Amino acid sequence: HSVSQAALSMTSAFELENPYIEEMKLTARRIARQGFGILATDESIPTAGKRLASIGVDNELENRRAFRELLYTAPDLNKYISGVIMFDETLYQSTADGVRFVRLLRERGIDVGIKVDTGLQPLFGTDGETATQGLDGLRPRCKAYRAEGATFAKWRAVLKVGHGMPSERAIADN
């Protein structure tokens, strides 16, 4: 007898003990819909500044806000984008008319995510490898982000690939 994969089901302790598991599954289904993508607007202030400088615009809070408003109010955005990843400052911002970005996007059927890592630091003794920072204070940050309307999070780790890389240290630290 052959057992189909659909008949097999394993449930982890995480799934059994997590009161938010059903909400997490629904969010994952919404943002992973076929034909849709996730718009990453989670650039740090310096990186946002590089983007603005490329079009001759100063890296000021209002210019970053206006640029993101332009993205979030694009016609038909919700026909192609299922989720938007934000940077901390953006989660709390509003349109020029005073509508919170989170509300604007959610009303368009777009989930709001947040970058929760706090950046990269060089790993001493390696060939330019880095370690992702941000575990300190992660829980209260996530609670605050959730209260503001974020429904998913992004954590990134950068591993340099090449001769002898990533190193064991980079793997362990990330």
Side-chain angles (χ1 to χ4, degrees):
H1 292 267
S2 131
V3 178
S4 74
Q5 286 187 323
L8 296 176
S9 176
M10 294 180 62
T11 304
S12 68
F14 175 79
E15 291 177 277
L16 291 173
E17 298 166 7
N18 186 335
Y20 304 104
I21 196 69
E22 290 308 315
E23 181 181 353
M24 292 170 69
K25 287 178 181 179
L26 288 172
T27 299
R29 282 189 203 107
R30 281 194 311 271
I31 64 176
R33 291 178 296 196
Q34 185 173 357
F36 286 78
I38 297 173
L39 175 62
T41 62
D42 60 329
E43 301 94 345
S44 65
I45 293 170
T47 302
K50 291 176 187 173
R51 294 198 195 292
L52 293 173
S54 74
I55 57 171
V57 176
D58 291 334
N59 186 13
E60 297 173 356
L61 178 65
E62 174 55 22
N63 291 339
R64 292 189 302 273
R65 188 211 61 75
F67 177 71
R68 290 187 173 124
E69 179 174 352
L70 183 68
L71 295 173
Y72 303 158
T73 59
D76 297 328
L77 182 71
N78 58 321
K79 289 183 180 179
Y80 308 99
I81 299 298
S82 57
V84 169
I85 305 168
M86 293 182 171
F87 184 64
D88 181 89
E89 91 173 353
T90 314
L91 186 70
Y92 302 96
Q93 291 177 329
S94 301
T95 65
D97 296 334
V99 178
R100 294 280 310 276
F101 285 155
V102 171
R103 180 174 153 216
L104 172 78
L105 291 165
R106 294 193 67 179
E107 285 176 354
R108 297 181 80 185
I110 299 171
D111 274 81
V112 174
I114 184 77
K115 175 187 170 199
V116 295
D117 68 84
T118 57
L120 304 174
Q121 291 296 319
L123 273 177
F124 181 74
T126 68
D127 185 15
E129 293 179 290
T130 57
T132 303
Q133 304 295 295
L135 289 176
D136 294 345
L138 181 60
R139 181 182 209 109
R141 282 197 320 276
C142 286
K143 282 185 177 185
Y145 295 149
R146 178 68 177 114
E148 291 297 323
T151 57
F152 69 98
K154 168 193 165 187
W155 178 277
R156 55 95 190 249
V158 177
L159 295 173
K160 192 172 180 182
V161 177
H163 183 69
M165 292 181 286
S167 65
E168 292 294 326
R169 180 167 182 205
I171 293 169
D173 283 11
N174 281 294

mmCIF file of all heavy atoms in Angstrom, residues 15-48:
data_model
loop_
_atom_site.group_PDB
_atom_site.id
_atom_site.type_symbol
_atom_site.label_atom_id
_atom_site.label_comp_id
_atom_site.label_asym_id
_atom_site.label_seq_id
_atom_site.Cartn_x
_atom_site.Cartn_y
_atom_site.Cartn_z
ATOM 1 N N GLU A 15 3.766 24.730 16.370
ATOM 2 C CA GLU A 15 2.390 24.858 15.893
ATOM 3 C C GLU A 15 1.381 24.563 16.996
ATOM 4 O O GLU A 15 0.362 25.235 17.100
ATOM 5 C CB GLU A 15 2.142 23.925 14.718
ATOM 6 C CG GLU A 15 2.874 24.328 13.457
ATOM 7 C CD GLU A 15 2.671 23.341 12.343
ATOM 8 O OE1 GLU A 15 3.384 22.324 12.325
ATOM 9 O OE2 GLU A 15 1.784 23.597 11.504
ATOM 10 N N LEU A 16 1.675 23.577 17.814
ATOM 11 C CA LEU A 16 0.748 23.191 18.877
ATOM 12 C C LEU A 16 0.645 24.239 19.977
ATOM 13 O O LEU A 16 -0.416 24.436 20.561
ATOM 14 C CB LEU A 16 1.179 21.858 19.495
ATOM 15 C CG LEU A 16 1.022 20.625 18.610
ATOM 16 C CD1 LEU A 16 1.644 19.405 19.282
ATOM 17 C CD2 LEU A 16 -0.447 20.381 18.291
ATOM 18 N N GLU A 17 1.760 24.911 20.262
ATOM 19 C CA GLU A 17 1.809 25.833 21.402
ATOM 20 C C GLU A 17 1.631 27.298 21.027
ATOM 21 O O GLU A 17 1.539 28.156 21.908
ATOM 22 C CB GLU A 17 3.135 25.649 22.139
ATOM 23 C CG GLU A 17 3.307 24.251 22.699
ATOM 24 C CD GLU A 17 4.729 23.950 23.142
ATOM 25 O OE1 GLU A 17 5.568 24.869 23.141
ATOM 26 O OE2 GLU A 17 4.990 22.789 23.490
ATOM 27 N N ASN A 18 1.584 27.619 19.748
ATOM 28 C CA ASN A 18 1.529 29.010 19.313
ATOM 29 C C ASN A 18 0.073 29.442 19.112
ATOM 30 O O ASN A 18 -0.603 28.956 18.208
ATOM 31 C CB ASN A 18 2.314 29.178 18.013
ATOM 32 C CG ASN A 18 2.435 30.608 17.581
ATOM 33 O OD1 ASN A 18 1.623 31.453 17.924
ATOM 34 N ND2 ASN A 18 3.456 30.898 16.805
ATOM 35 N N PRO A 19 -0.405 30.423 19.917
ATOM 36 C CA PRO A 19 -1.803 30.857 19.762
ATOM 37 C C PRO A 19 -2.055 31.634 18.476
ATOM 38 O O PRO A 19 -3.196 31.869 18.104
ATOM 39 C CB PRO A 19 -2.025 31.749 20.992
ATOM 40 C CG PRO A 19 -0.675 32.235 21.365
ATOM 41 C CD PRO A 19 0.280 31.130 20.995
ATOM 42 N N TYR A 20 -0.997 32.029 17.773
ATOM 43 C CA TYR A 20 -1.137 32.824 16.550
ATOM 44 C C TYR A 20 -0.932 32.012 15.279
ATOM 45 O O TYR A 20 -0.877 32.582 14.193
ATOM 46 C CB TYR A 20 -0.135 33.986 16.569
ATOM 47 C CG TYR A 20 -0.273 34.844 17.788
ATOM 48 C CD1 TYR A 20 0.645 34.747 18.830
ATOM 49 C CD2 TYR A 20 -1.334 35.734 17.920
ATOM 50 C CE1 TYR A 20 0.511 35.531 19.969
ATOM 51 C CE2 TYR A 20 -1.468 36.521 19.057
ATOM 52 C CZ TYR A 20 -0.547 36.415 20.072
ATOM 53 O OH TYR A 20 -0.688 37.178 21.182
ATOM 54 N N ILE A 21 -0.832 30.699 15.398
ATOM 55 C CA ILE A 21 -0.458 29.872 14.255
ATOM 56 C C ILE A 21 -1.442 30.003 13.088
ATOM 57 O O ILE A 21 -1.028 30.105 11.933
ATOM 58 C CB ILE A 21 -0.232 28.395 14.651
ATOM 59 C CG1 ILE A 21 0.512 27.665 13.544
ATOM 60 C CG2 ILE A 21 -1.529 27.694 15.005
ATOM 61 C CD1 ILE A 21 1.923 28.090 13.357
ATOM 62 N N GLU A 22 -2.726 30.034 13.353
ATOM 63 C CA GLU A 22 -3.699 30.139 12.255
ATOM 64 C C GLU A 22 -3.588 31.489 11.565
ATOM 65 O O GLU A 22 -3.650 31.575 10.339
ATOM 66 C CB GLU A 22 -5.128 29.873 12.745
ATOM 67 C CG GLU A 22 -5.366 28.426 13.130
ATOM 68 C CD GLU A 22 -4.966 27.427 12.043
ATOM 69 O OE1 GLU A 22 -5.300 27.645 10.857
ATOM 70 O OE2 GLU A 22 -4.322 26.421 12.374
ATOM 71 N N GLU A 23 -3.408 32.554 12.333
ATOM 72 C CA GLU A 23 -3.215 33.885 11.753
ATOM 73 C C GLU A 23 -1.944 33.920 10.911
ATOM 74 O O GLU A 23 -1.922 34.511 9.827
ATOM 75 C CB GLU A 23 -3.133 34.933 12.865
ATOM 76 C CG GLU A 23 -2.960 36.333 12.360
ATOM 77 C CD GLU A 23 -2.850 37.352 13.478
ATOM 78 O OE1 GLU A 23 -3.029 37.017 14.663
ATOM 79 O OE2 GLU A 23 -2.554 38.513 13.143
ATOM 80 N N MET A 24 -0.886 33.284 11.391
ATOM 81 C CA MET A 24 0.377 33.241 10.649
ATOM 82 C C MET A 24 0.195 32.503 9.321
ATOM 83 O O MET A 24 0.701 32.938 8.287
ATOM 84 C CB MET A 24 1.465 32.572 11.493
ATOM 85 C CG MET A 24 1.882 33.394 12.694
ATOM 86 S SD MET A 24 2.947 32.485 13.834
ATOM 87 C CE MET A 24 4.442 32.340 12.871
ATOM 88 N N LYS A 25 -0.525 31.403 9.345
ATOM 89 C CA LYS A 25 -0.760 30.638 8.126
ATOM 90 C C LYS A 25 -1.572 31.447 7.110
ATOM 91 O O LYS A 25 -1.276 31.433 5.907
ATOM 92 C CB LYS A 25 -1.478 29.326 8.444
ATOM 93 C CG LYS A 25 -0.601 28.301 9.127
ATOM 94 C CD LYS A 25 -1.406 27.047 9.457
ATOM 95 C CE LYS A 25 -0.578 26.002 10.154
ATOM 96 N NZ LYS A 25 -1.375 24.799 10.489
ATOM 97 N N LEU A 26 -2.588 32.170 7.585
ATOM 98 C CA LEU A 26 -3.397 33.000 6.688
ATOM 99 C C LEU A 26 -2.555 34.118 6.078
ATOM 100 O O LEU A 26 -2.669 34.417 4.890
ATOM 101 C CB LEU A 26 -4.597 33.585 7.439
ATOM 102 C CG LEU A 26 -5.711 32.600 7.786
ATOM 103 C CD1 LEU A 26 -6.743 33.259 8.703
ATOM 104 C CD2 LEU A 26 -6.380 32.084 6.520
ATOM 105 N N THR A 27 -1.718 34.737 6.895
ATOM 106 C CA THR A 27 -0.834 35.797 6.390
ATOM 107 C C THR A 27 0.102 35.240 5.327
ATOM 108 O O THR A 27 0.282 35.846 4.266
ATOM 109 C CB THR A 27 -0.030 36.430 7.543
ATOM 110 O OG1 THR A 27 -0.936 37.016 8.481
ATOM 111 C CG2 THR A 27 0.936 37.481 7.041
ATOM 112 N N ALA A 28 0.685 34.079 5.606
ATOM 113 C CA ALA A 28 1.597 33.458 4.638
ATOM 114 C C ALA A 28 0.874 33.169 3.323
ATOM 115 O O ALA A 28 1.418 33.410 2.236
ATOM 116 C CB ALA A 28 2.189 32.177 5.219
ATOM 117 N N ARG A 29 -0.361 32.689 3.398
ATOM 118 C CA ARG A 29 -1.124 32.411 2.177
ATOM 119 C C ARG A 29 -1.403 33.704 1.397
ATOM 120 O O ARG A 29 -1.334 33.717 0.174
ATOM 121 C CB ARG A 29 -2.443 31.713 2.511
ATOM 122 C CG ARG A 29 -2.268 30.253 2.822
ATOM 123 C CD ARG A 29 -3.622 29.548 2.942
ATOM 124 N NE ARG A 29 -3.449 28.367 3.748
ATOM 125 C CZ ARG A 29 -3.879 28.214 5.001
ATOM 126 N NH1 ARG A 29 -4.556 29.178 5.597
ATOM 127 N NH2 ARG A 29 -3.644 27.111 5.656
ATOM 128 N N ARG A 30 -1.738 34.773 2.129
ATOM 129 C CA ARG A 30 -2.036 36.046 1.446
ATOM 130 C C ARG A 30 -0.800 36.603 0.742
ATOM 131 O O ARG A 30 -0.886 37.038 -0.399
ATOM 132 C CB ARG A 30 -2.557 37.090 2.447
ATOM 133 C CG ARG A 30 -4.006 36.917 2.833
ATOM 134 C CD ARG A 30 -4.559 38.145 3.542
ATOM 135 N NE ARG A 30 -3.720 38.638 4.620
ATOM 136 C CZ ARG A 30 -3.776 38.241 5.891
ATOM 137 N NH1 ARG A 30 -4.658 37.314 6.253
ATOM 138 N NH2 ARG A 30 -2.981 38.766 6.799
ATOM 139 N N ILE A 31 0.348 36.595 1.420
ATOM 140 C CA ILE A 31 1.517 37.222 0.805
ATOM 141 C C ILE A 31 2.198 36.335 -0.233
ATOM 142 O O ILE A 31 2.957 36.835 -1.055
ATOM 143 C CB ILE A 31 2.534 37.747 1.848
ATOM 144 C CG1 ILE A 31 3.132 36.627 2.677
ATOM 145 C CG2 ILE A 31 1.915 38.817 2.718
ATOM 146 C CD1 ILE A 31 4.215 37.088 3.644
ATOM 147 N N ALA A 32 1.880 35.038 -0.211
ATOM 148 C CA ALA A 32 2.500 34.117 -1.175
ATOM 149 C C ALA A 32 1.555 33.759 -2.326
ATOM 150 O O ALA A 32 1.791 32.786 -3.041
ATOM 151 C CB ALA A 32 2.948 32.844 -0.457
ATOM 152 N N ARG A 33 0.536 34.568 -2.534
ATOM 153 C CA ARG A 33 -0.412 34.300 -3.622
ATOM 154 C C ARG A 33 0.298 34.262 -4.970
ATOM 155 O O ARG A 33 1.200 35.078 -5.219
ATOM 156 C CB ARG A 33 -1.491 35.378 -3.686
ATOM 157 C CG ARG A 33 -2.452 35.354 -2.526
ATOM 158 C CD ARG A 33 -3.444 36.479 -2.667
ATOM 159 N NE ARG A 33 -2.704 37.752 -2.582
ATOM 160 C CZ ARG A 33 -3.270 38.919 -2.373
ATOM 161 N NH1 ARG A 33 -4.569 39.012 -2.263
ATOM 162 N NH2 ARG A 33 -2.545 40.013 -2.303
ATOM 163 N N GLN A 34 -0.133 33.351 -5.802
ATOM 164 C CA GLN A 34 0.451 33.224 -7.137
ATOM 165 C C GLN A 34 0.229 34.508 -7.929
ATOM 166 O O GLN A 34 -0.863 35.078 -7.918
ATOM 167 C CB GLN A 34 -0.168 32.041 -7.863
ATOM 168 C CG GLN A 34 0.468 31.777 -9.206
ATOM 169 C CD GLN A 34 -0.033 30.499 -9.840
ATOM 170 O OE1 GLN A 34 -0.809 29.763 -9.276
ATOM 171 N NE2 GLN A 34 0.421 30.253 -11.050
ATOM 172 N N GLY A 35 1.290 34.971 -8.584
ATOM 173 C CA GLY A 35 1.199 36.158 -9.418
ATOM 174 C C GLY A 35 1.434 37.470 -8.682
ATOM 175 O O GLY A 35 1.369 38.533 -9.290
ATOM 176 N N PHE A 36 1.693 37.413 -7.378
ATOM 177 C CA PHE A 36 1.922 38.613 -6.579
ATOM 178 C C PHE A 36 3.343 38.614 -6.044
ATOM 179 O O PHE A 36 3.976 37.574 -5.911
ATOM 180 C CB PHE A 36 0.950 38.671 -5.394
ATOM 181 C CG PHE A 36 -0.451 39.026 -5.782
ATOM 182 C CD1 PHE A 36 -1.291 38.073 -6.343
ATOM 183 C CD2 PHE A 36 -0.947 40.303 -5.601
ATOM 184 C CE1 PHE A 36 -2.587 38.385 -6.716
ATOM 185 C CE2 PHE A 36 -2.238 40.631 -5.968
ATOM 186 C CZ PHE A 36 -3.062 39.672 -6.529
ATOM 187 N N GLY A 37 3.824 39.784 -5.694
ATOM 188 C CA GLY A 37 5.154 39.909 -5.127
ATOM 189 C C GLY A 37 5.136 40.736 -3.861
ATOM 190 O O GLY A 37 4.117 41.296 -3.472
ATOM 191 N N ILE A 38 6.305 40.811 -3.241
ATOM 192 C CA ILE A 38 6.482 41.616 -2.038
ATOM 193 C C ILE A 38 7.366 42.804 -2.415
ATOM 194 O O ILE A 38 8.439 42.630 -2.986
ATOM 195 C CB ILE A 38 7.125 40.789 -0.907
ATOM 196 C CG1 ILE A 38 6.197 39.637 -0.519
ATOM 197 C CG2 ILE A 38 7.439 41.667 0.299
ATOM 198 C CD1 ILE A 38 6.804 38.664 0.478
ATOM 199 N N LEU A 39 6.906 43.994 -2.085
ATOM 200 C CA LEU A 39 7.649 45.220 -2.360
ATOM 201 C C LEU A 39 8.510 45.552 -1.141
ATOM 202 O O LEU A 39 7.987 45.781 -0.058
ATOM 203 C CB LEU A 39 6.678 46.369 -2.649
ATOM 204 C CG LEU A 39 7.268 47.760 -2.854
ATOM 205 C CD1 LEU A 39 8.188 47.784 -4.075
ATOM 206 C CD2 LEU A 39 6.146 48.782 -2.995
ATOM 207 N N ALA A 40 9.815 45.531 -1.315
ATOM 208 C CA ALA A 40 10.737 45.835 -0.219
ATOM 209 C C ALA A 40 11.047 47.329 -0.222
ATOM 210 O O ALA A 40 11.705 47.833 -1.134
ATOM 211 C CB ALA A 40 12.016 45.018 -0.359
ATOM 212 N N THR A 41 10.538 48.029 0.790
ATOM 213 C CA THR A 41 10.817 49.457 0.958
ATOM 214 C C THR A 41 11.452 49.671 2.326
ATOM 215 O O THR A 41 11.179 50.651 3.009
ATOM 216 C CB THR A 41 9.530 50.306 0.826
ATOM 217 O OG1 THR A 41 8.614 49.943 1.862
ATOM 218 C CG2 THR A 41 8.878 50.112 -0.534
ATOM 219 N N ASP A 42 12.289 48.724 2.703
ATOM 220 C CA ASP A 42 12.871 48.725 4.054
ATOM 221 C C ASP A 42 14.310 49.226 4.075
ATOM 222 O O ASP A 42 15.077 48.888 4.963
ATOM 223 C CB ASP A 42 12.799 47.321 4.652
ATOM 224 C CG ASP A 42 13.563 46.283 3.836
ATOM 225 O OD1 ASP A 42 13.645 46.437 2.599
ATOM 226 O OD2 ASP A 42 14.062 45.321 4.428
ATOM 227 N N GLU A 43 14.644 50.097 3.128
ATOM 228 C CA GLU A 43 15.998 50.636 3.096
ATOM 229 C C GLU A 43 16.263 51.454 4.359
ATOM 230 O O GLU A 43 15.400 52.200 4.813
ATOM 231 C CB GLU A 43 16.197 51.575 1.887
ATOM 232 C CG GLU A 43 15.966 50.934 0.552
ATOM 233 C CD GLU A 43 14.546 51.122 0.047
ATOM 234 O OE1 GLU A 43 13.652 51.506 0.837
ATOM 235 O OE2 GLU A 43 14.327 50.858 -1.145
ATOM 236 N N SER A 44 17.472 51.319 4.874
ATOM 237 C CA SER A 44 17.891 52.149 5.996
ATOM 238 C C SER A 44 17.961 53.600 5.530
ATOM 239 O O SER A 44 17.926 53.880 4.325
ATOM 240 C CB SER A 44 19.265 51.696 6.500
ATOM 241 O OG SER A 44 20.236 51.934 5.489
ATOM 242 N N ILE A 45 18.096 54.519 6.463
ATOM 243 C CA ILE A 45 18.175 55.933 6.101
ATOM 244 C C ILE A 45 19.346 56.210 5.154
ATOM 245 O O ILE A 45 19.162 56.876 4.129
ATOM 246 C CB ILE A 45 18.197 56.815 7.365
ATOM 247 C CG1 ILE A 45 16.830 56.699 8.071
ATOM 248 C CG2 ILE A 45 18.515 58.265 7.031
ATOM 249 C CD1 ILE A 45 16.766 57.304 9.454
ATOM 250 N N PRO A 46 20.558 55.671 5.429
ATOM 251 C CA PRO A 46 21.653 55.908 4.471
ATOM 252 C C PRO A 46 21.391 55.317 3.081
ATOM 253 O O PRO A 46 21.688 55.954 2.066
ATOM 254 C CB PRO A 46 22.862 55.247 5.131
ATOM 255 C CG PRO A 46 22.532 55.207 6.593
ATOM 256 C CD PRO A 46 21.046 55.017 6.650
ATOM 257 N N THR A 47 20.815 54.117 3.021
ATOM 258 C CA THR A 47 20.531 53.504 1.721
ATOM 259 C C THR A 47 19.436 54.269 0.987
ATOM 260 O O THR A 47 19.528 54.489 -0.229
ATOM 261 C CB THR A 47 20.149 52.023 1.888
ATOM 262 O OG1 THR A 47 21.218 51.350 2.540
ATOM 263 C CG2 THR A 47 19.869 51.355 0.553
ATOM 264 N N ALA A 48 18.417 54.704 1.706
ATOM 265 C CA ALA A 48 17.372 55.533 1.087
ATOM 266 C C ALA A 48 18.000 56.806 0.534
ATOM 267 O O ALA A 48 17.621 57.275 -0.549
ATOM 268 C CB ALA A 48 16.282 55.853 2.097
#
